[in-house]
Amino acid sequence: MILRISRLGLRRKKVGKDMDKLEEYQRWQNNLARVRFPRWKELPTLGLYVDQVVAIVNEQLSHLGIEPLTKSMVNNYVKKKVIQAPIKKKYAVNQLVDLLLIGLLKSNFSLDDIRAGIAQVTINSYPQAAYDRFVEILNALLAGKEIPSDNVINPESDRLMTLALKSVLSRMHAAQLLNAMQKIAQPAPLEEK
């Protein structure tokens, strides 16, 4: 009888620790719900050097736990014509926006697909309107709220942005939940036959 009680006590402690690990995931979700990406007008409009651009982009990406961009990555994007070249080594707000989008989407999409998506969405919309709508969708998804309707961006572009963002956020959620679950228990290794 005493042996059973002590085993129950150990089991309760383990369940408590397991819940703590899942609470870490819940805290991550709660923190994610408070993240807000800046709209176009909230971004610096003066020409920025690459170090400043990288710092701004990485500050935003770090809130989401996304791998930071480096100066060499930005230089490669310029060489590959994924973003426009800076003028006199200074980057404008449109290049900053492109780098924010690339940083956010690069884990799920190729650079060519990201560039094609940006070009497609901005065919019928100004880049500022398209980016602000992208941020509106992102911020709503992060907060777990309904995406507000919009009549400025065409419905297909709106759907493309929504699906791309949902895929990125779903991947992030899956990775965080897997990490929490792995802290609770490790599966047995597969046996070779």
Side-chain angles (χ1 to χ4, degrees):
M1 190 72 160
I2 294 173
L3 184 58
R4 280 190 189 156
I5 292 171
S6 66
R7 284 186 181 167
L8 283 174
L10 287 175
R11 208 174 272 148
R12 283 190 185 135
K13 286 181 183 176
K14 183 175 180 350
V15 170
K17 287 182 182 179
D18 292 351
M19 294 308 283
D20 289 344
K21 301 300 181 197
L22 291 178
E23 284 174 8
E24 285 178 27
Y25 172 70
Q26 187 62 47
R27 277 192 299 276
W28 175 83
Q29 278 187 306
N30 293 339
N31 289 336
L32 199 60
R34 290 190 289 273
V35 172
R36 295 285 169 268
F37 249 58
R39 293 183 176 277
W40 189 285
K41 288 182 180 177
E42 297 168 334
L43 295 169
T45 55
L46 301 173
L48 301 170
Y49 292 106
V50 71
D51 291 338
Q52 296 167 311
V53 168
V54 168
I56 291 168
V57 170
N58 288 341
E59 180 183 352
Q60 293 303 314
L61 297 179
S62 70
H63 297 303
L64 299 174
I66 295 176
E67 177 185 320
L69 293 181
T70 63
K71 285 177 16 177
S72 61
M73 291 166 81
V74 173
N75 291 332
N76 285 335
Y77 297 156
V78 170
K79 285 178 189 173
K80 292 180 181 180
K81 299 186 186 215
V82 176
I83 65 167
Q84 293 176 338
I87 297 172
K88 296 182 183 178
K89 297 186 180 185
K90 290 190 177 180
Y91 291 81
V93 69
N94 61 315
Q95 293 149 314
L96 177 60
V97 163
D98 284 349
L99 290 168
L100 282 166
L101 298 175
I102 289 167
L104 182 63
L105 299 170
K106 70 183 173 92
S107 64
N108 285 46
F109 302 98
S110 70
L111 291 175
D112 289 340
D113 286 345
I114 294 169
R115 187 74 254 159
I118 292 170
Q120 191 65 46
V121 168
T122 57
I123 283 177
N124 298 317
S125 300
Y126 290 108
Q128 181 177 348
Y131 173 75
D132 282 345
R133 179 59 179 161
F134 182 88
V135 167
E136 185 175 40
I137 294 167
L138 174 59
N139 289 342
L141 291 172
L142 289 170
K145 296 181 179 176
E146 188 173 322
I147 299 169
S149 61
D150 181 84
N151 295 326
V152 176
I153 304 294
N154 72 43
E156 294 80 19
S157 294
D158 211 59
R159 182 145 171 81
L160 176 63
M161 290 187 288
T162 301
L163 289 171
L165 285 167
K166 283 183 176 180
S167 75
V168 169
L169 294 176
S170 290
R171 184 178 187 274
M172 289 170 48
H173 277 272
Q176 287 293 328
L177 183 56
L178 176 60
N179 186 34
M181 291 171 67
Q182 286 175 327
K183 289 179 181 177
I184 293 169
Q186 291 290 318
L190 296 176
E191 294 180 17
E192 292 185 31
K193 291 183 180 184

